[in-house]
Amino acid sequence: MPKLTLRALASSIAGLIALAALPATARAVPEPRAPEEFVALRDIAPSILQEMRYPTAHNFVGEPVDGYHRPMCILTRPAALALRQAQQRLLARGYTLKVYDCYRPQRAVDHFVAWAEDLRDQSMKDEFYPRVDKTRLFEDGYIAEKSGHSRGSTVDLTIVRLPVRPTRPYHPGEPLRSCYAPQRERFPDNSIDMGTGFDCFDTLSHTADPRITGEQRANRLLLKKTLEAVGFENLPEEWWHFTHQPELFPDTYFDFPVERRSLTP
């Protein structure tokens, strides 16, 4: 073998050894950044409440979800501006919006998929899917490998009556209460009564389920009509799920983490 090749090989080996010796932070691939069309909702509509569930353990997975580095709502600018319009309409009526989830990184969706495939993990069943067998989560459409949230124009939200009542934090390991139980029996949430809690894997969460009547139905319709008036479309299977139309990125599933530094300064 020519000496030059031997020297090149030795140099490559030395380079690999030097790279392995670097701290993990020095070797890490930089995180992807959001396109400039993405904004923090708090910068656009600071009066909208944010109770971001997936950076916490109070969700159907039972632990903080991958990619949620901070409890903040990120959306495309048109979606955020439309939410500001909806908020102004509700404030005039004595209400405020509250968001549970906004942009969702693809790695978070992957976390959901891995959790759904682990049939041994049933830790949050009693609250979020009491009547659904975990083997059916994909077939019934509760979990999928792609989510519209990752495109940046979809939001999960509810309505809270003013003045806002504080709610206590969730304590991991506490007794769980069914998401479709009467409101006074569910985990405390300052939302007006929508008939189920957020992320309730049950047909009762279908926006127009005929079993939801009276005040609960009126509350769902208030949310739906208010958001439709500013350009959102509801997902019929989830009263809390709305997508602003037209989407800026209808075919792109982003994976930048949820944190301030993902956004363009």
Side-chain angles (χ1 to χ4, degrees):
M1 185 177 290
K3 291 183 179 179
L4 182 61
T5 303
L6 286 173
R7 283 199 297 270
L9 179 61
S11 176
S12 296
I13 293 172
L16 289 173
I17 293 173
L19 179 62
L22 288 173
T25 53
R27 292 184 277 116
V29 177
E31 288 280 19
R33 300 286 296 273
E36 63 182 7
E37 292 89 349
F38 280 81
V39 297
L41 179 63
R42 198 170 301 281
D43 294 343
I44 303 297
S47 66
I48 294 178
L49 303 179
Q50 298 192 24
E51 184 182 319
M52 312 307 292
R53 288 289 185 87
Y54 297 140
T56 77
H58 191 208
N59 57 66
F60 59 85
V61 175
E63 63 182 3
V65 178
D66 292 347
Y68 287 90
H69 295 183
R70 293 290 182 271
M72 63 181 295
C73 173
I74 293 175
L75 288 169
T76 54
R77 184 177 294 276
L81 290 172
L83 282 187
R84 184 170 68 182
Q85 288 183 278
Q87 175 74 342
Q88 291 168 348
R89 293 171 181 235
L90 288 172
L91 288 175
R93 299 182 60 172
Y95 298 100
T96 177
L97 289 170
K98 181 175 75 171
V99 295
Y100 294 113
D101 191 39
C102 301
Y103 158 74
R104 180 183 304 165
Q106 179 59 44
R107 71 191 76 178
V109 180
D110 296 342
H111 191 166
F112 293 167
V113 170
W115 166 82
E117 291 174 342
D118 181 5
L119 300 182
R120 299 167 299 173
D121 185 352
Q122 304 272 345
S123 62
M124 303 300 285
K125 178 178 176 63
D126 288 347
E127 179 172 353
F128 292 98
Y129 54 107
R131 294 190 286 215
V132 178
D133 192 294
K134 197 174 181 183
T135 60
R136 295 189 56 84
L137 292 181
F138 289 103
E139 185 177 350
D140 290 352
Y142 295 113
I143 300 293
E145 294 182 353
K146 296 290 184 181
S147 169
H149 282 272
S150 301
R151 302 194 296 262
S153 295
T154 295
V155 60
D156 293 337
L157 74 174
T158 188
I159 293 174
V160 175
R161 192 183 305 277
L162 297 174
V164 177
R165 295 181 293 104
T167 57
R168 70 168 178 83
Y170 167 76
H171 303 291
E174 70 175 80
L176 300 178
R177 306 170 188 181
S178 169
C179 58
Y180 55 75
Q183 187 180 38
R184 64 183 179 278
E185 298 176 15
R186 299 196 297 264
F187 181 84
D189 186 321
N190 54 10
S191 169
I192 58 177
D193 190 2
M194 297 292 188
T196 76
F198 165 62
D199 260 357
C200 188
F201 295 178
D202 196 275
T203 54
L204 279 172
S205 294
H206 293 188
T207 307
D209 188 285
R211 293 167 293 176
I212 301 299
T213 60
E215 181 182 352
Q216 296 171 339
R217 183 175 185 83
N219 290 340
R220 290 188 183 189
L221 290 177
L222 173 62
L223 178 64
K224 184 174 183 287
K225 290 179 179 179
T226 300
L227 291 179
E228 286 178 342
V230 296
F232 284 91
E233 290 184 0
N234 175 237
L235 178 68
E237 291 76 22
E238 299 177 352
W239 61 257
W240 56 82
H241 179 116
F242 291 83
T243 299
H244 189 256
Q245 300 291 346
E247 293 186 68
L248 282 186
F249 301 100
D251 302 308
T252 306
Y253 297 85
F254 295 97
D255 193 41
F256 58 87
V258 177
E259 59 183 348
R260 173 67 68 167
R261 61 184 173 181
S262 292
L263 301 174
T264 303

